Amino acid sequence: MVSSADLAKAIEPLRTHYEHAKFEALKVEELLRYVHAMAEEGEAVDIGTASFKTSLNPAQLTWPESLKKLFGI
C-alpha cells in the first residue's frame, strides 16, 4: 500500500507544473490587457515596460505581497 506521504511526493511535480502554468496564463492575460490599454489610448507599447510587468518568472510565485505590490504584479 502507498502511504499518503509517498503519494504527496509523487504528485508534487504535477502540482508545481500546474501552478506555474496557471501563473504564466495570468501573465499573458496581463500583457494582453496592457497592449489593449495602450491601443485604446493611441499610445505605443513600451516593450521594456511590457516585458518587465509581464515577466514569466515563476520565482515571483514566492515573492512576499510587499514586493508584488511594489512591482505591480
Side-chain angles (χ1 to χ4, degrees), residues 50-70:
S51 63
F52 178 77
K53 288 181 75 172
T54 61
S55 172
L56 299 178
N57 182 356
Q60 293 172 337
L61 289 170
T62 62
W63 284 11
E65 288 303 313
S66 58
L67 281 179
K68 290 179 182 178
K69 187 178 282 188
L70 177 66

Side-chain angles (χ1 to χ4, degrees), residues 3-69:
S3 72
S4 60
D6 288 339
L7 184 58
K9 284 180 186 177
I11 64 171
E12 179 61 25
L14 293 173
R15 188 188 67 76
T16 301
H17 175 73
Y18 172 76
E19 289 298 320
H20 287 193
K22 188 168 67 172
F23 178 75
E24 290 172 358
L26 291 173
K27 288 303 193 175
V28 170
E29 288 178 21
E30 184 179 352
L31 175 60
L32 292 174
R33 282 193 304 273
Y34 172 73
V35 170
H36 180 75
M38 293 296 99
E40 289 279 314
E41 297 173 12
E43 298 288 328
V45 173
D46 180 342
I47 298 300
T49 299
S51 63
F52 178 77
K53 288 181 75 172
T54 61
S55 172
L56 299 178
N57 182 356
Q60 293 172 337
L61 289 170
T62 62
W63 284 11
E65 288 303 313
S66 58
L67 281 179
K68 290 179 182 178
K69 187 178 282 188

